Amino acid sequence: MKQTKQNRVKVPISLKLVSIFSVLVIVILVSITYMVSTIVRDDERKKAEENNLTINTRSAQTIENSILNAQANANGFFNTLLLLESEEDYKKKAELLFEDYCQRNKSTVFLYSSDIGMNANAAFLKAHSDLSYTFTNWLDKNPGIKTSVSKGEFVIKNISPLFNQAIICILFPHYNSVTQKSDFVAVAFFVDDLAEILSTGSYNTSFLINKDGDVLIHAVEEKMLKGMNVSYLEAVQKIKATNTDKSQYLLPDENGERWFYAFNRIVGDMAVLTCVSEADVFEAINRTTYRIILLSIAVLFLSIIIIRFFSKTISRPIATLVDATKQIGAGNYELDLKPKTKDEIGFLTTNFMDMTEGLSERNRLMNTFTRFTNKYIAEKAAKGELKPGGERKNATIFFSDIRSFTALSEKLTPDEVVEFLNEYFARMCECVDKTNGIVDKFIGDAVMAVWGAPESAGSAEADAWNAVKAALMMRIALYHLNQKRIATGKNPIKIGCGINTGPIVAGQIGSEGHMNYTVIGDTVNLASRTEALNKPFATDILITENTYKLIKDKIIVEEMPGVHVKGKTDAIKMYAVVNAVGVRGPADVHEMREFLGWDEPDLGKVSTDEEEKKYKIDG
């Protein structure tokens, strides 16, 4: 029975249903999630940009006003001091005036000019007695500051690292009306209040930077104490490269994290920079999206359970049918399936059982049919693969015959004769089957077989070699059969095999009521006559020259005397097959006869009836 190529179901129906429904659910949920998140994300991005810019603008205005107010107050203070400088009680008045100034500007640390000197917050001066030296020394180490101020520029610096407190210093040009010389004023003040302004309490971060990228005011005091510089940020580089007073960007930081940046330029070429992380802006959206995904997974899981349960009502009956097809493929037609539903599957089960009964009947007929003809031919005929009429082919024909079978059968009962032949034919036919030959027919005790029809092994050489291999296998099989017969007190038997290769006609021959697939032609006749020559030659396997030429490199042979066969003018060369090349066993015809237990013949004394035997031997 031919096995099916697919021995198991690779993709069950239940899996298909679950997969299809899961894909639909996933596509729908993903589409909805994408649409919602995209729309909301776009809106949230716009709001984040607007909010970031609003915070930045408000912070910039506040910081700028505070710095300008500090400048104006300092100018007023120094102008007043210049007017009082010529009075006798100038020093006392200056102290009272600065004390009043500090009362009105509580964040003041010190005021300084080269003309008037250092006026410092008493509490701060007490903690930093070397204030004047520290500051002037810092100025000397940074000559560019005085140079910039002398050019009329407004300079602001972070001096927090000098005093380990969050302090900035504003330096701007000042004209001394008394001396009529240009001077500069330095105003230092604590930035706690301004830092608090920049601290929005949300995800947004604002800070003041100068044109060099130095952080001047930051909500995180530590960044000021370290004298942090952010010129490496792409946003700061864009601010330096543009002439725009305010703008906003979405740019990555040094770690690759993207930020929304907004900036406003203020006095002194400074800029207030406000930023917020893109991750913070979209955190709520991402959290909502995550919840939607979790909900989608839950819906998908529940859907799979429901579909799985429903699919089993379909897949289980189908799985039963699939298992039944496997049993039929294995040759078991005795099945007991009953439809359990009234739907299409129930209808399919009913029709399947009807089909099974038909296959069972066909199988019984085929098994019976193959007992009376070759199984291969029977299967080809059942499939309609045997062409009507005859076909010309090149094939190898084999005949074998039991020596003195008539005398042997006379000593046996009919049942014993049949039992003996069945055992003998079983062993011989097995050799034919193993070499892909076809047993054409049994003629009494004779066997006729063919290689190359209706199918060939691929070439005339392959077919001829298969036929000779079968004959050599028969020799061994007969040897074991004779050993069994001798052990039970029976006489051994001898056979002769004749093999010929050539053109034949193969086809279905007979009448409309009875047909038989067989081969005919002169090649067949010569094979039959070759078999008969084994007896006078005392050989068991004879092949013609036609066969020998095809496989002479595969076998050990000894040429026999030429034989004149009826219907042939020239003598036909015959070869006794001794053994296959490279196989342990007889090396010549004499060893072969010794193995078979046969006597050496005297070919010169052989007397045959040419009319009956249809051959003569050239002396």
Side-chain angles (χ1 to χ4, degrees):
M1 181 66 64
K2 185 178 180 180
Q3 296 295 320
T4 56
K5 292 182 179 179
Q6 185 172 332
N7 295 321
R8 62 185 181 87
V9 177
K10 293 183 179 179
V11 186
I13 290 179
S14 58
L15 179 60
K16 288 183 179 180
L17 289 174
V18 170
S19 300
I20 293 172
F21 191 80
S22 299
V23 169
L24 290 175
V25 171
I26 290 172
V27 169
I28 293 173
L29 292 176
V30 168
S31 300
I32 294 174
T33 304
Y34 175 77
M35 291 175 62
V36 171
S37 64
T38 300
I39 295 172
V40 174
R41 187 177 294 266
D42 188 60
D43 291 342
E44 195 67 22
R45 179 185 60 80
K46 292 179 180 178
K47 287 196 297 184
E49 289 178 341
E50 292 174 0
N51 183 57
N52 198 47
L53 185 60
T54 300
I55 292 174
N56 179 260
T57 301
R58 184 174 62 244
S59 299
Q61 289 176 349
T62 302
I63 294 294
E64 185 174 43
N65 290 336
S66 298
I67 291 174
L68 291 177
N69 285 336
Q71 178 189 16
N73 292 338
N75 271 327
F77 173 76
F78 278 106
N79 287 333
T80 302
L81 286 182
L82 289 174
L83 293 174
L84 298 175
E85 190 175 17
S86 59
E87 297 183 8
E88 294 181 359
D89 55 351
Y90 164 75
K91 187 174 181 180
K92 184 177 181 180
K93 289 181 180 180
E95 291 177 355
L96 291 173
L97 185 63
F98 183 71
E99 184 178 349
D100 178 68
Y101 179 88
C102 289
Q103 287 293 326
R104 289 184 288 106
N105 300 274
K106 297 184 180 298
S107 62
T108 301
V109 176
F110 64 80
L111 299 177
Y112 174 85
S113 74
S114 58
D115 290 338
I116 299 177
M118 177 71 70
N119 291 274
N121 180 295
F124 187 82
L125 183 61
K126 185 177 181 180
H128 301 278
S129 57
D130 59 346
L131 171 62
S132 180
Y133 171 79
T134 301
F135 181 72
T136 56
N137 185 55
W138 174 76
L139 284 175
D140 293 338
K141 290 182 178 179
N142 296 275
I145 295 176
K146 290 182 178 180
T147 301
S148 296
V149 173
S150 65
K151 293 179 181 179
E153 295 180 9
F154 189 95
V155 178
I156 182 169
K157 289 290 184 179
N158 175 23
I159 59 174
S160 302
L162 294 176
F163 307 105
N164 200 30
Q165 287 182 272
I167 302 172
I168 62 171
C169 181
I170 304 172
L171 299 99
F172 51 88
H174 176 72
Y175 180 73
N176 190 327
S177 58
V178 176
T179 62
Q180 296 183 348
K181 293 182 180 180
S182 294
D183 196 4
F184 75 92
V185 173
V187 181
F189 55 91
F190 297 110
V191 295
D192 295 345
D193 293 341
L194 295 180
E196 188 174 349
I197 292 171
L198 296 180
S199 178
T200 61
S202 63
Y203 291 119
N204 302 75
T205 300
S206 296
F207 51 93
L208 177 68
I209 61 174
N210 60 17
K211 63 180 181 180
D212 297 324
D214 298 324
V215 175
L216 303 176
I217 303 176
H218 200 288
V220 180
E221 183 178 0
E222 184 180 356
K223 295 183 182 296
M224 294 184 62
L225 298 179
K226 289 183 177 181
M228 185 177 181
N229 185 283
V230 291
S231 59
Y232 59 86
L233 290 176
E234 188 175 349
V236 175
Q237 294 170 7
K238 278 187 172 291
I239 293 173
K240 290 181 179 180
T242 183
N243 295 322
T244 307
D245 288 337
K246 64 178 181 178
S247 186
Q248 56 183 343
Y249 309 105
L250 178 59
L251 299 169
D253 62 9
E254 70 276 16
N255 298 318
E257 183 181 358
R258 302 212 315 169
W259 292 73
F260 291 100
Y261 292 96
F263 79 90
N264 261 278
R265 294 185 191 275
I266 62 174
V267 61
D269 201 20
M270 294 179 290
V272 175
L273 193 64
T274 304
C275 60
V276 60
S277 168
E278 185 182 42
D280 291 335
V281 171
F282 297 137
E283 181 182 3
I285 298 175
N286 293 336
R287 189 165 52 246
T288 302
T289 303
Y290 177 73
R291 290 172 181 171
I292 293 175
I293 292 173
L294 289 180
L295 179 62
S296 301
I297 293 174
V299 172
L300 177 61
F301 182 73
L302 181 62
S303 301
I304 290 174
I305 294 175
I306 295 173
I307 292 297
R308 178 69 175 169
F309 177 77
F310 169 74
S311 65
K312 285 186 176 181
T313 62
I314 299 175
S315 61
R316 281 178 178 172
I318 294 179
T320 302
L321 290 175
V322 170
D323 183 64
T325 60
K326 292 180 180 179
Q327 294 186 52
I328 291 175
N332 178 22
Y333 297 95
E334 302 301 324
L335 303 176
D336 184 21
L337 295 180
K338 295 180 180 179
K340 296 181 179 180
T341 60
K342 295 183 179 181
D343 54 12
E344 289 85 350
I345 295 179
F347 180 75
L348 175 61
T349 303
T350 301
N351 283 273
F352 180 84
M353 288 307 298
D354 292 341
M355 180 194 70
T356 302
E357 291 179 6
L359 290 174
S360 178
E361 181 64 25
R362 178 183 178 276
N363 187 61
R364 284 194 294 270
L365 290 174
M366 179 61 71
N367 289 337
T368 302
F369 183 44
T370 55
R371 291 176 180 270
F372 295 95
T373 186
N374 180 271
K375 183 178 180 180
Y376 180 77
I377 299 298
E379 290 180 351
K380 297 278 283 187
K383 295 177 182 178
E385 295 178 0
L386 283 180
K387 296 180 180 179
E391 294 181 281
R392 290 192 177 275
K393 290 181 174 289
N394 194 24
T396 297
I397 309 300
F398 167 93
F399 278 91
S400 70
D401 188 39
I402 300 176
R403 296 287 170 257
S404 304
F405 177 71
T406 302
L408 176 64
S409 62
E410 289 177 352
K411 299 176 183 180
L412 303 174
T413 65
D415 289 341
E416 289 174 333
V417 171
V418 172
E419 182 182 356
F420 161 68
L421 286 177
N422 285 342
E423 183 179 10
Y424 166 74
F425 285 145
R427 292 174 181 259
M428 300 302 108
C429 290
E430 183 180 7
C431 299
V432 176
D433 292 338
K434 286 183 177 180
T435 55
N436 300 316
I438 301 296
V439 176
D440 184 274
K441 62 174 66 69
F442 301 113
I443 310 168
D445 61 309
V447 178
M448 175 183 172
V450 58
W451 284 261
E455 294 292 336
S456 171
S459 66
E461 292 84 349
D463 293 331
W465 173 232
N466 282 337
V468 174
K469 280 197 297 183
L472 290 170
M473 291 168 63
M474 289 180 186
R475 176 187 287 172
I476 302 302
L478 183 64
Y479 172 81
H480 291 297
L481 176 60
N482 281 334
Q483 293 298 310
K484 178 181 177 182
R485 290 179 62 80
I486 293 171
T488 56
K490 299 177 182 178
N491 293 325
I493 60 173
K494 299 178 181 180
I495 66 169
C497 303
I499 300 174
N500 182 34
T501 304
I504 52 95
V505 175
Q508 301 181 72
I509 299 175
S511 65
E512 292 185 2
H514 180 76
M515 300 293 291
N516 183 32
Y517 183 88
T518 188
V519 295
I520 58 175
D522 190 54
T523 299
V524 179
N525 298 333
L526 182 55
S528 175
R529 295 173 184 179
T530 301
E531 180 276 317
L533 295 173
N534 280 285
K535 186 174 181 179
F537 289 153
T539 57
D540 64 339
I541 304 172
L542 278 178
I543 62 175
T544 65
E545 184 177 10
N546 296 335
T547 303
Y548 171 71
K549 287 180 178 179
L550 293 172
I551 58 171
K552 59 183 179 180
D553 58 333
K554 298 179 182 295
I555 55 177
I556 302 172
V557 299
E558 287 204 21
E559 185 176 349
M560 294 289 101
V563 175
H564 288 281
V565 178
K566 184 179 180 180
K568 300 292 183 181
T569 303
D570 298 328
I572 296 176
K573 291 183 179 181
M574 296 290 171
Y575 297 87
V577 178
V578 176
N579 202 354
V581 173
V583 176
R584 187 177 65 179
D588 56 38
V589 72
H590 305 293
E591 290 184 8
M592 178 197 71
R593 290 179 181 135
E594 183 179 352
F595 171 76
L596 296 174
W598 295 359
D599 297 329
E600 292 286 341
D602 185 355
L603 297 181
K605 295 181 180 181
V606 172
S607 175
T608 59
D609 185 352
E610 294 184 7
E611 292 299 323
E612 181 180 352
K613 299 297 183 180
K614 300 183 179 60
Y615 62 80
K616 68 178 183 180
I617 302 174
D618 283 351

